[in-house]
Amino acid sequence: MTGESGQSDQQPARTELPIERGFPIERVNEIAEKEGRAKMYYRPIYTMHKWWARRLGCVFRAISLYTLLDDPEKVSVFEPGHEGGTLADYGDDSDGQSDLDVASLLERVDMTDPESLWELYPKDVRVEDKKILDPFMGGGTSLVEASRFGAEVVGNDLNPVAWFVTKKELEAGQTDVEELEEAFEQVKEDVADEITQYYRTPCPNGDHEADVMYNFWVKELDCVSCGHTVPLFKDYRVAKGRYGNDDKYNVLCPDCESITLVNDWQSESICEECANSFVPSEGNVSGSKYSCSECGSKYGVIDSIHEQDGFGLRQYAVEYYCHTCDEQDRDKDEVKGYKSIEEADRALFNEAKTEWEENDDLNQYIPEGEIPRGAITATGDGLQYDGHDVFDHGYQTWEDMYNPRQLLSLSTLLQSIDQVDDQNLKEYLLLAFSDALRTNSMFCTYDPTRNGMDHVFRHNSFNPPMYPAENNVWGTKFGRGSFTSSFDMVVSGVEYANSPNERYITNGETIKTDGFEKSIGENVSIQQGDARELDYEDEFDAVITDPPYYDNVIYSELSNYFYVWQRLVLEKSYSTFEPEDTPRAESIVSNPAEDKDVEVFESELRQAFSTIRRALKENGSLTFTYHHSNSESWGELLEALCDVGFEVTATYPISADINKFTKGEAVSFDIVVVARPIDDTEPASWNSVRRDIYRTARRTRQQLEENRDLSRGDIGVMEMGACFREYSKHHGKVQRDGEIMDAKEVVQEIYGIIQEASDIGVEDVFIDLLDTTNVSYDDVNKLCRGTNATPDDLKEMRLYNQDDGFELGTWDNEKRQAYIQERVNGDSDEHLSNLDKLQFLRYRYEQGQSVQNYVGKWDVDDDLRELAGRLADVTGDDTYTRVLGDRDITNY
């Protein structure tokens, strides 16, 4: 029997959900690690179109599995690849019955062993009578995964682009792939040749033409001192070498502008064509200024753009693929490679430019509006956001982001798509077109380190490049981000939606299931609007979502890049696409352009949680992922939840493949929060609540350490969840010294209680960091949870720094040694930790300096020797132990 929980005398008993009793963090994380690197293979439905901070499908499948399954009588389990029968039809017993007992699997889930239900993760599981809401659906992951269980799903998002992307994900399972491919062939026959004629170049290997994969451009300015035209190259790299020359670089000679292959792009090189000597890493731009090669003058790039009313653009190279050479079985470096621009290339571009200027019919398929000023687009207005002011760079309208050939090609393609009769098929072609825009504007660049196109949102801002790259809009055999390659990804997503599968891991081996009979999105409805205005009451069994957090990327501004193009086709069919831009003022996010700070965000998030509370059935559940970085944000979240009538019943750390947008740092985990409605809370003194929280933290930690293979940080997060549950019962009625404590105060106290209950300190965390592969700041944050150490403690001791990327403060780290040396030179050694001492001795030994006098001076006790042994074990460097006891070394 599943557990029953009653949170107060007024609250009726309710069945605990599996996710409240346990969650298989270890199993989810091992899949998440792989899925995060290969989304198009694990769940291609989510690679049909860009959306920001899209959570991994495996995470939300696991959340759905552990949230929706509460009544074994309403659960059916089917074996993937077997049509029409449950697992009972495919059992191993002679009578055909399976040993599968859903009731038993549900009953066995608890905090110490949550994996019984995991047996169903790769199965085609169906539930009855479940209605799910996601009021912040974003890229649609929660809805897609819940729909696979047969639940009725309802979604909402303020952003029209998110609405459109999710709409097509949920309609994919009912879309015929052959019909979609026929629609593509119709467009191909209509415009492919018309577009690709402008992406041809003379092949360097014979008297024929090759396909252009990418055109390389550079911005130019006239020197304010001498008038010489200055190309704005930071360096002259074009791309890494290929086919046996991977350690070399193709570079542009600044003198004759030929492409030459050099051994080291950061050292002096000789052009193979003109014998010019130059250093490819030394371009004409450094920081925000250019340097004129004729007169040596330096001047601000932005200032010059303003004074000259813009900039010039010049094509200087192409990357090509030659079908003819491929058929002739030539060497790979002849079939595909880099070449300098020729007169024929310039003439072809001018031909496209003339065609664009003379073809008035296509103007209706180009967004003509001005780029809205906002926190991302106009940082020069004093707005505090890590972006670039596009207006300072000379861009005013959306059309300014594209060159004439791109405008001609994109409008020709969009016009053809708009003529497709079937609305559903037209929208999938539009989806492919829209996603291809990421790599088809003059805001895109070419990554020379990996020989490929980089997309416009690589920094989640509009970053005008000095030397943009122009893609082949239609595409050729090779290349990334063309319309045809985007369409291929849409087809993969539709195929997956018709018969989704799962990949899971057993004994380290990844296993792919057969396709599920249950397709995606059979009982769904979605809408576009403000989550705070949803008009539901006592209707949903569960809300599964990913709500905004205060420093989210400002999607409304970024998504305009797609919206203004989608609108050209969709405004005739959907009122949500009638406005000129996406809604911004209503977005729940801290946005200086809208005068919305953290306090406004907290207020709006509380309003959204109140709407969710009203929409849930009394015994419903709210489960959501949340990214957080400190106790302050935890306090804001807990207070917003509890104020509107929720209690937190569990929290779990989960891996996720997202970016910490504002700083560009990798974030390795999110938190899953589970909450339930509560009618009322009970008064209590802080002393009594503190005792309950302390006992809960100790008991939780002990149970997890004894039964689970979790990191200290993971255990700390789960401890916090258990403590939040204790506090939630009394929210708003906890008294200390006659005053009511708010949630933020309590969270700070809980942090202290968890740390007090732990004897794990800075040295323990640092050793764990030494033992971590590809260590990052996020590992610091994660490993500090549930310990006496904080990230600030480690930072103050220079045990890590982020000045030039993330660095650990190892014994040979310059900043760490400077910190230690300052203390060694002080008046007393009392402020030297054991770790300081050992790293200092290790450094002196490496420098050939005596260590004996320090070993004799310091008290070499058991603690110091034990730490030396741990350092030696984790690093494989036994010098740590030898400097304390081997006379041959201490007398060095």
Side-chain angles (χ1 to χ4, degrees):
M1 177 180 290
T2 54
E4 303 289 329
S5 65
Q7 304 309 317
S8 70
D9 293 337
Q10 293 76 31
Q11 179 84 3
R14 64 187 176 211
T15 301
E16 276 192 319
L17 300 174
I19 199 168
E20 294 178 285
R21 292 183 280 118
F23 196 64
I25 299 167
E26 302 93 326
R27 301 290 76 79
V28 176
N29 283 350
E30 64 183 356
I31 298 177
E33 181 182 0
K34 295 178 180 293
E35 183 178 330
R37 298 195 301 264
K39 297 183 184 71
M40 68 175 296
Y41 299 106
Y42 275 73
R43 281 175 169 78
I45 192 169
Y46 302 129
T47 62
M48 295 197 298
H49 195 282
K50 165 75 176 176
W51 190 253
W52 292 267
R54 193 196 296 270
R55 299 303 187 253
L56 294 174
C58 65
V59 172
F60 272 97
R61 176 166 178 79
I63 288 174
S64 297
L65 179 66
Y66 278 70
T67 300
L68 301 181
L69 274 65
D70 58 351
D71 183 353
E73 298 299 320
K74 294 185 177 183
V75 177
S76 300
V77 183
F78 297 80
E79 185 68 37
H82 294 278
E83 294 184 6
T86 67
L87 279 181
D89 299 315
Y90 302 99
D92 298 327
D93 297 342
S94 58
D95 60 1
Q97 296 299 308
S98 170
D99 292 333
L100 184 69
D101 181 349
V102 175
S104 175
L105 299 182
L106 288 170
E107 182 180 357
R108 285 167 19 215
V109 174
D110 65 24
M111 180 174 59
T112 62
D113 183 13
E115 295 190 10
S116 62
L117 202 55
W118 186 252
E119 182 179 337
L120 301 184
Y121 180 88
K123 307 300 183 184
D124 190 354
V125 181
R126 320 281 176 82
V127 297
E128 299 175 21
D129 302 329
K130 290 294 183 183
K131 190 171 184 180
I132 310 304
L133 170 69
D134 185 349
F136 303 105
M137 65 187 181
T141 310
S142 60
L143 301 180
V144 168
E145 299 303 327
S147 80
R148 294 178 59 193
F149 288 84
E152 179 184 354
V153 298
V154 178
N156 174 82
D157 203 278
L158 179 66
N159 193 286
V161 177
W163 175 85
F164 178 61
V165 170
T166 301
K167 175 179 183 290
K168 301 319 295 178
E169 290 172 353
L170 293 170
E171 292 173 349
Q174 287 70 55
T175 298
D176 187 281
V177 175
E178 290 186 5
E179 292 179 359
L180 179 57
E181 290 177 332
E182 288 173 4
F184 171 81
E185 289 299 324
Q186 174 188 327
V187 172
K188 179 180 180 180
E189 183 178 348
D190 185 27
V191 298
D193 290 343
E194 188 176 346
I195 294 171
T196 56
Q197 66 175 317
Y198 295 114
Y199 292 94
R200 307 286 293 169
T201 189
C203 178
N205 309 313
D207 188 18
H208 54 268
E209 287 188 320
D211 295 338
V212 170
M213 294 167 56
Y214 308 110
N215 291 298
F216 296 83
W217 295 80
V218 63
K219 292 179 179 177
E220 295 181 322
L221 293 169
D222 293 334
C223 175
V224 296
S225 298
C226 70
H228 176 71
T229 300
V230 181
L232 301 181
F233 286 111
K234 294 181 179 179
D235 60 66
Y236 294 104
R237 285 178 297 167
V238 176
K240 284 187 69 174
R242 292 193 182 106
Y243 315 125
N245 292 310
D246 301 50
D247 57 339
K248 299 181 180 181
Y249 260 94
N250 293 286
V251 300
L252 179 75
C253 173
D255 196 32
C256 71
E257 297 205 331
S258 63
I259 307 295
T260 190
L261 193 65
V262 301
N263 292 322
D264 183 1
W265 70 277
Q266 300 189 71
S267 301
E268 186 171 355
S269 304
I270 305 296
C271 174
E272 296 173 348
E273 188 70 24
C274 69
N276 174 46
S277 176
F278 66 105
V279 179
S281 62
E282 297 177 0
N284 296 322
V285 175
S286 178
S288 62
K289 295 184 177 181
Y290 72 77
S291 177
C292 178
S293 58
E294 286 292 307
C295 69
S297 295
K298 296 183 178 181
Y299 202 73
V301 170
I302 298 299
D303 294 335
S304 186
I305 289 174
H306 288 177
E307 293 170 15
Q308 297 178 30
D309 195 24
F311 51 81
L313 265 171
R314 178 170 57 84
Q315 188 179 353
Y316 65 90
V318 300
E319 181 178 5
Y320 67 90
Y321 159 72
C322 184
H323 183 268
T324 302
C325 292
D326 202 357
E327 286 187 337
Q328 294 173 355
D329 203 25
R330 285 177 174 263
D331 292 340
K332 290 182 178 179
D333 59 353
E334 293 181 303
V335 172
K336 187 168 66 165
Y338 303 89
K339 62 184 283 286
S340 301
I341 203 70
E342 300 182 38
E343 186 56 40
D345 299 305
R346 298 187 185 94
L348 189 62
F349 176 78
N350 289 330
E351 184 181 333
K353 180 180 179 182
T354 300
E355 174 66 20
W356 166 245
E357 292 171 346
E358 294 178 352
N359 195 332
D360 294 335
D361 293 341
L362 292 175
N363 286 335
Q364 63 179 308
Y365 289 100
I366 292 295
E368 296 180 342
E370 293 187 356
I371 302 169
R373 304 186 76 85
I376 290 177
T377 58
T379 55
D381 291 350
L383 303 172
Q384 300 301 308
Y385 195 86
D386 292 343
H388 297 265
D389 193 316
V390 299
F391 306 102
D392 270 350
H393 284 262
Y395 300 90
Q396 298 295 327
T397 69
W398 294 110
E399 188 174 342
D400 292 340
M401 289 186 169
Y402 306 85
N403 72 32
R405 178 162 50 198
Q406 290 173 323
L407 293 171
L408 174 64
S409 301
L410 291 170
S411 59
T412 299
L413 177 56
L414 190 58
Q415 181 186 52
S416 180
I417 291 172
D418 195 27
Q419 292 169 354
V420 173
D421 291 331
D422 186 285
Q423 181 70 20
N424 181 46
L425 302 179
K426 176 193 297 187
E427 289 177 6
Y428 279 109
L429 292 168
L430 176 62
L431 193 73
F433 172 91
S434 178
D435 194 56
L437 291 170
R438 287 193 297 151
T439 44
N440 282 280
S441 78
M442 297 302 276
F443 271 59
C444 302
T445 58
Y446 189 88
D447 185 348
T449 64
R450 58 183 182 89
N451 300 75
M453 197 74 173
D454 220 341
H455 62 87
V456 64
F457 294 122
R458 59 198 177 279
H459 299 303
N460 286 304
S461 64
F462 293 112
N463 183 9
M466 297 297 184
Y467 29 103
E470 176 194 0
N471 207 340
N472 182 325
V473 170
W474 183 265
T476 183
K477 181 177 180 179
F478 296 101
R480 174 177 181 257
S482 65
F483 172 70
T484 52
S485 61
S486 292
F487 177 76
D488 288 343
M489 296 179 75
V490 168
V491 169
S492 295
V494 172
E495 289 175 336
Y496 177 86
N498 275 269
S499 182
N501 56 62
E502 281 302 325
R503 282 176 165 85
Y504 62 102
I505 299 172
T506 299
N507 298 323
E509 178 184 358
T510 299
I511 300 172
K512 177 183 175 182
T513 70
D514 292 331
F516 288 19
E517 186 178 359
K518 173 69 177 174
S519 61
I520 286 171
E522 292 182 355
N523 190 10
V524 303
S525 62
I526 61 171
Q527 58 197 42
Q528 182 268 326
D530 192 328
R532 294 167 291 174
E533 297 178 359
L534 292 175
D535 189 19
Y536 298 111
E537 186 170 354
D538 194 27
E539 188 165 339
F540 295 93
D541 298 284
V543 171
I544 302 176
T545 188
D546 175 35
Y549 46 93
Y550 81 95
D551 57 352
N552 258 5
V553 166
I554 303 173
Y555 307 138
S556 57
E557 293 188 22
L558 293 177
S559 61
N560 263 328
Y561 180 82
F562 299 121
Y563 176 83
V564 293
W565 288 89
Q566 294 174 357
R567 177 175 179 266
L568 299 173
V569 172
L570 297 178
E571 68 172 324
K572 296 172 290 187
S573 304
Y574 305 107
S575 59
T576 187
F577 279 90
E578 290 175 358
E580 291 188 2
D581 305 303
T582 62
R584 295 196 304 177
E586 303 92 333
S587 295
I588 301 178
V589 65
S590 179
N591 184 349
E594 299 293 332
D595 293 324
K596 297 176 70 169
D597 56 16
V598 175
E599 286 72 25
V600 174
F601 165 79
E602 290 178 23
S603 173
E604 293 180 340
L605 184 63
R606 183 178 285 103
Q607 294 169 28
F609 280 138
S610 179
T611 301
I612 291 170
R613 173 69 174 82
R614 186 174 65 251
L616 274 173
K617 296 177 179 178
E618 191 60 34
N619 288 324
S621 64
L622 166 61
T623 304
F624 61 95
T625 55
Y626 196 75
H627 166 69
H628 78 292
S629 58
N630 53 46
S631 60
E632 182 71 16
S633 60
W634 263 120
E636 294 161 2
L637 176 65
L638 185 60
E639 188 153 351
L641 277 171
C642 293
D643 277 353
V644 301
F646 280 106
E647 64 169 326
V648 174
T649 57
T651 61
Y652 305 102
I654 290 294
S655 295
D657 180 57
I658 64 173
N659 290 318
K660 193 172 184 178
F661 303 109
T662 57
K663 300 297 182 184
E665 298 166 359
V667 177
S668 66
F669 67 99
D670 285 325
I671 307 299
V672 174
V673 179
V674 186
R676 301 289 286 268
I678 184 171
D679 286 338
D680 199 6
T681 56
E682 300 174 356
S685 69
W686 169 241
N687 285 337
S688 66
V689 173
R690 187 186 188 285
R691 284 194 299 270
D692 290 341
I693 287 174
Y694 185 83
R695 284 195 296 267
T696 297
R698 294 284 291 181
R699 182 176 63 252
T700 302
R701 172 169 291 276
Q702 182 178 2
Q703 290 176 328
L704 292 172
E705 286 180 339
E706 290 177 355
N707 296 282
R708 302 280 292 275
D709 183 20
L710 297 171
S711 73
R712 291 164 177 160
D714 289 342
I715 290 174
V717 169
M718 293 174 69
E719 275 185 285
M720 285 191 293
C723 294
F724 290 169
R725 184 170 192 162
E726 290 298 322
Y727 166 73
S728 299
K729 303 172 187 176
H730 310 286
H731 172 71
K733 299 177 181 178
V734 177
Q735 279 201 359
R736 179 169 61 180
D737 299 330
E739 301 288 336
I740 298 295
M741 298 178 68
D742 63 29
K744 294 180 183 179
E745 292 178 279
V746 173
V747 168
Q748 291 290 348
E749 295 285 353
I750 289 174
Y751 261 59
I753 289 169
I754 291 175
Q755 291 172 359
E756 181 182 322
S758 168
D759 58 359
I760 301 166
V762 167
E763 292 169 354
D764 303 286
V765 172
F766 182 71
I767 287 176
D768 284 345
L769 290 168
L770 288 173
D771 200 30
T772 300
T773 304
N774 298 322
V775 64
S776 68
Y777 169 75
D778 217 51
D779 296 303
V780 177
N781 192 26
K782 184 175 181 179
L783 290 169
C784 280
R785 298 195 185 284
T787 75
N788 284 321
T790 68
D792 286 343
D793 292 337
L794 274 77
K795 184 176 182 179
E796 183 178 341
M797 296 173 66
R798 306 295 190 270
L799 288 171
Y800 75 89
N801 73 81
Q802 296 174 282
D803 298 338
D804 300 305
F806 184 85
E807 291 182 343
L808 267 187
T810 51
W811 66 265
D812 54 349
N813 181 269
E814 182 177 343
K815 293 182 176 65
R816 173 65 175 150
Q817 274 303 318
Y819 170 89
I820 298 173
Q821 191 66 56
E822 181 180 345
R823 278 142 188 78
V824 172
N825 295 338
D827 297 333
S828 170
D829 292 335
E830 292 178 0
H831 44 269
L832 280 172
S833 70
N834 282 343
L835 183 57
D836 293 337
K837 293 174 182 178
L838 287 168
Q839 288 188 325
F840 177 72
L841 295 175
R842 180 66 184 84
Y843 180 80
R844 287 186 66 84
Y845 167 71
E846 193 70 20
Q847 299 298 311
Q849 299 171 341
S850 173
V851 298
Q852 183 183 16
N853 54 332
Y854 289 99
V855 173
K857 174 182 176 183
W858 292 332
D859 180 19
V860 181
D861 56 16
D862 290 341
D863 289 341
L864 188 64
R865 292 188 183 279
E866 191 268 340
L867 179 60
R870 293 171 66 194
L871 286 168
D873 288 342
V874 77
T875 62
D877 180 1
D878 65 358
T879 309
Y880 285 108
T881 55
R882 294 164 65 198
V883 293
L884 295 181
D886 190 324
R887 285 294 174 185
D888 291 337
I889 290 183
T890 56
N891 283 319
Y892 187 95

